PDB file of all heavy atoms in Angstrom:
ATOM      1  N   ILE A 272     110.974  72.045  84.682  1.00 98.00           N
ATOM      2  CA  ILE A 272     111.005  73.340  83.994  1.00 98.00           C
ATOM      3  C   ILE A 272     112.342  74.015  84.298  1.00 98.00           C
ATOM      4  O   ILE A 272     112.603  74.378  85.441  1.00 98.00           O
ATOM      5  CB  ILE A 272     109.843  74.248  84.445  1.00 98.00           C
ATOM      6  CG1 ILE A 272     108.498  73.520  84.249  1.00 98.00           C
ATOM      7  CG2 ILE A 272     109.872  75.565  83.669  1.00 98.00           C
ATOM      8  CD1 ILE A 272     107.285  74.329  84.676  1.00 98.00           C
ATOM      9  N   PRO A 273     113.207  74.168  83.297  1.00 98.00           N
ATOM     10  CA  PRO A 273     114.521  74.772  83.550  1.00 98.00           C
ATOM     11  C   PRO A 273     114.401  76.182  84.128  1.00 98.00           C
ATOM     12  O   PRO A 273     113.449  76.913  83.820  1.00 98.00           O
ATOM     13  CB  PRO A 273     115.177  74.812  82.169  1.00 98.00           C
ATOM     14  CG  PRO A 273     114.417  73.839  81.339  1.00 98.00           C
ATOM     15  CD  PRO A 273     113.028  73.806  81.888  1.00 98.00           C
ATOM     16  N   LEU A 274     115.380  76.535  84.928  1.00 98.00           N
ATOM     17  CA  LEU A 274     115.356  77.823  85.620  1.00 98.00           C
ATOM     18  C   LEU A 274     115.262  79.002  84.649  1.00 98.00           C
ATOM     19  O   LEU A 274     114.591  79.995  84.931  1.00 98.00           O
ATOM     20  CB  LEU A 274     116.629  77.938  86.465  1.00 98.00           C
ATOM     21  CG  LEU A 274     116.528  78.550  87.845  1.00 98.00           C
ATOM     22  CD1 LEU A 274     115.345  78.033  88.642  1.00 98.00           C
ATOM     23  CD2 LEU A 274     117.828  78.305  88.624  1.00 98.00           C
ATOM     24  N   ASP A 275     115.912  78.902  83.482  1.00 98.00           N
ATOM     25  CA  ASP A 275     115.874  80.047  82.557  1.00 98.00           C
ATOM     26  C   ASP A 275     114.458  80.255  82.002  1.00 98.00           C
ATOM     27  O   ASP A 275     114.058  81.380  81.723  1.00 98.00           O
ATOM     28  CB  ASP A 275     116.908  79.890  81.422  1.00 98.00           C
ATOM     29  CG  ASP A 275     116.571  78.749  80.480  1.00 98.00           C
ATOM     30  OD1 ASP A 275     116.350  77.623  80.984  1.00 98.00           O
ATOM     31  OD2 ASP A 275     116.506  78.975  79.255  1.00 98.00           O
ATOM     32  N   ILE A 276     113.694  79.193  81.878  1.00 98.00           N
ATOM     33  CA  ILE A 276     112.303  79.363  81.400  1.00 98.00           C
ATOM     34  C   ILE A 276     111.460  80.004  82.511  1.00 98.00           C
ATOM     35  O   ILE A 276     110.616  80.869  82.245  1.00 98.00           O
ATOM     36  CB  ILE A 276     111.708  78.012  80.940  1.00 98.00           C
ATOM     37  CG1 ILE A 276     112.465  77.523  79.699  1.00 98.00           C
ATOM     38  CG2 ILE A 276     110.215  78.163  80.630  1.00 98.00           C
ATOM     39  CD1 ILE A 276     111.833  76.323  79.019  1.00 98.00           C
ATOM     40  N   ILE A 277     111.698  79.619  83.743  1.00 98.00           N
ATOM     41  CA  ILE A 277     110.991  80.271  84.862  1.00 98.00           C
ATOM     42  C   ILE A 277     111.326  81.767  84.867  1.00 98.00           C
ATOM     43  O   ILE A 277     110.447  82.626  84.967  1.00 98.00           O
ATOM     44  CB  ILE A 277     111.384  79.625  86.216  1.00 98.00           C
ATOM     45  CG1 ILE A 277     111.033  78.132  86.220  1.00 98.00           C
ATOM     46  CG2 ILE A 277     110.712  80.367  87.371  1.00 98.00           C
ATOM     47  CD1 ILE A 277     111.495  77.382  87.462  1.00 98.00           C
ATOM     48  N   GLN A 278     112.637  82.070  84.713  1.00 98.00           N
ATOM     49  CA  GLN A 278     113.062  83.480  84.712  1.00 98.00           C
ATOM     50  C   GLN A 278     112.360  84.266  83.595  1.00 98.00           C
ATOM     51  O   GLN A 278     111.886  85.386  83.812  1.00 98.00           O
ATOM     52  CB  GLN A 278     114.586  83.561  84.535  1.00 98.00           C
ATOM     53  CG  GLN A 278     115.125  84.987  84.528  1.00 98.00           C
ATOM     54  CD  GLN A 278     114.940  85.681  85.879  1.00 98.00           C
ATOM     55  OE1 GLN A 278     115.389  85.204  86.899  1.00 98.00           O
ATOM     56  NE2 GLN A 278     114.244  86.819  85.876  1.00 98.00           N
ATOM     57  N   LYS A 279     112.255  83.687  82.413  1.00 98.00           N
ATOM     58  CA  LYS A 279     111.620  84.408  81.301  1.00 98.00           C
ATOM     59  C   LYS A 279     110.133  84.656  81.579  1.00 98.00           C
ATOM     60  O   LYS A 279     109.595  85.688  81.194  1.00 98.00           O
ATOM     61  CB  LYS A 279     111.772  83.609  79.998  1.00 98.00           C
ATOM     62  CG  LYS A 279     113.210  83.584  79.473  1.00 98.00           C
ATOM     63  CD  LYS A 279     113.214  82.993  78.076  1.00 98.00           C
ATOM     64  CE  LYS A 279     114.351  82.040  77.862  1.00 98.00           C
ATOM     65  NZ  LYS A 279     114.340  81.480  76.492  1.00 98.00           N
ATOM     66  N   HIS A 280     109.500  83.718  82.243  1.00 98.00           N
ATOM     67  CA  HIS A 280     108.090  83.936  82.591  1.00 98.00           C
ATOM     68  C   HIS A 280     107.948  85.028  83.648  1.00 98.00           C
ATOM     69  O   HIS A 280     107.016  85.833  83.598  1.00 98.00           O
ATOM     70  CB  HIS A 280     107.440  82.626  83.062  1.00 98.00           C
ATOM     71  CG  HIS A 280     107.040  81.729  81.928  1.00 98.00           C
ATOM     72  ND1 HIS A 280     107.951  81.028  81.172  1.00 98.00           N
ATOM     73  CD2 HIS A 280     105.812  81.446  81.409  1.00 98.00           C
ATOM     74  CE1 HIS A 280     107.304  80.337  80.232  1.00 98.00           C
ATOM     75  NE2 HIS A 280     106.003  80.572  80.349  1.00 98.00           N
ATOM     76  N   ILE A 281     108.878  85.063  84.581  1.00 98.00           N
ATOM     77  CA  ILE A 281     108.878  86.167  85.558  1.00 98.00           C
ATOM     78  C   ILE A 281     109.014  87.490  84.803  1.00 98.00           C
ATOM     79  O   ILE A 281     108.269  88.443  85.048  1.00 98.00           O
ATOM     80  CB  ILE A 281     110.042  85.998  86.571  1.00 98.00           C
ATOM     81  CG1 ILE A 281     109.803  84.768  87.455  1.00 98.00           C
ATOM     82  CG2 ILE A 281     110.239  87.265  87.404  1.00 98.00           C
ATOM     83  CD1 ILE A 281     110.979  84.399  88.350  1.00 98.00           C
ATOM     84  N   ASN A 282     109.957  87.552  83.869  1.00 98.00           N
ATOM     85  CA  ASN A 282     110.185  88.793  83.120  1.00 98.00           C
ATOM     86  C   ASN A 282     108.919  89.236  82.383  1.00 98.00           C
ATOM     87  O   ASN A 282     108.575  90.420  82.353  1.00 98.00           O
ATOM     88  CB  ASN A 282     111.303  88.602  82.090  1.00 98.00           C
ATOM     89  CG  ASN A 282     112.629  88.219  82.733  1.00 98.00           C
ATOM     90  OD1 ASN A 282     112.805  88.371  83.949  1.00 98.00           O
ATOM     91  ND2 ASN A 282     113.554  87.716  81.936  1.00 98.00           N
ATOM     92  N   PHE A 283     108.247  88.272  81.793  1.00 97.00           N
ATOM     93  CA  PHE A 283     107.053  88.575  81.000  1.00 97.00           C
ATOM     94  C   PHE A 283     105.932  89.131  81.886  1.00 97.00           C
ATOM     95  O   PHE A 283     105.394  90.215  81.632  1.00 97.00           O
ATOM     96  CB  PHE A 283     106.587  87.299  80.284  1.00 97.00           C
ATOM     97  CG  PHE A 283     105.356  87.485  79.441  1.00 97.00           C
ATOM     98  CD1 PHE A 283     105.459  87.890  78.121  1.00 97.00           C
ATOM     99  CD2 PHE A 283     104.088  87.250  79.965  1.00 97.00           C
ATOM    100  CE1 PHE A 283     104.327  88.059  77.328  1.00 97.00           C
ATOM    101  CE2 PHE A 283     102.944  87.424  79.183  1.00 97.00           C
ATOM    102  CZ  PHE A 283     103.063  87.827  77.869  1.00 97.00           C
TER     103      PHE A 283
END
Side-chain angles (χ1 to χ4, degrees):
I272 305 180
L274 220 45
D275 67 308
I276 294 189
I277 300 175
Q278 180 66 56
K279 290 190 222 180
H280 280 73
I281 293 172
N282 300 344
F283 180 88

